[in-house]
Amino acid sequence: MPRSRWTERLGTLGLAALYFGVLTPVGWCVRAVRDPLRRSWDADRAGYLEPPDQSRIGPPSGRRRPATGTAHRFSGRRA
């Protein structure tokens, strides 16, 4: 049995009410408790740039890139 136009509209309105009535206030409460982006100003810090995680940086892969030009790129040869 096909759904009527009013049933689809009620479903859309129900989802909108759920989002704006439940999820939005929950998000406001979570942000009131903690700041997920850590946007606070600290006068004691010298800078806010964090160094990269050294455990994720690996050694070079050993593959060499071409020195100049891109002629071999389109010639059909494999590098």
Side-chain angles (χ1 to χ4, degrees):
M1 181 170 174
R3 295 172 53 172
S4 69
R5 184 183 327 159
W6 290 105
T7 306
E8 291 179 12
R9 287 185 183 171
L10 285 176
T12 303
L13 288 174
L15 287 175
L18 177 72
Y19 180 79
F20 289 109
V22 176
L23 294 178
T24 302
V26 168
W28 288 340
C29 292
V30 168
R31 288 188 184 143
V33 173
R34 69 178 185 96
D35 186 13
L37 296 178
R38 295 181 289 158
R39 295 175 293 189
S40 61
W41 182 263
D42 187 7
D44 296 333
R45 290 181 72 165
Y48 284 92
L49 181 65
E50 295 181 6
D53 185 14
Q54 295 297 325
S55 65
R56 297 184 69 189
I57 300 174
S61 63
R63 292 181 63 192
R64 296 185 61 178
R65 293 186 174 173
T68 58
T70 57
H72 75 282
R73 183 172 166 196
F74 300 106
S75 66
R77 286 190 314 161
R78 288 191 126 167

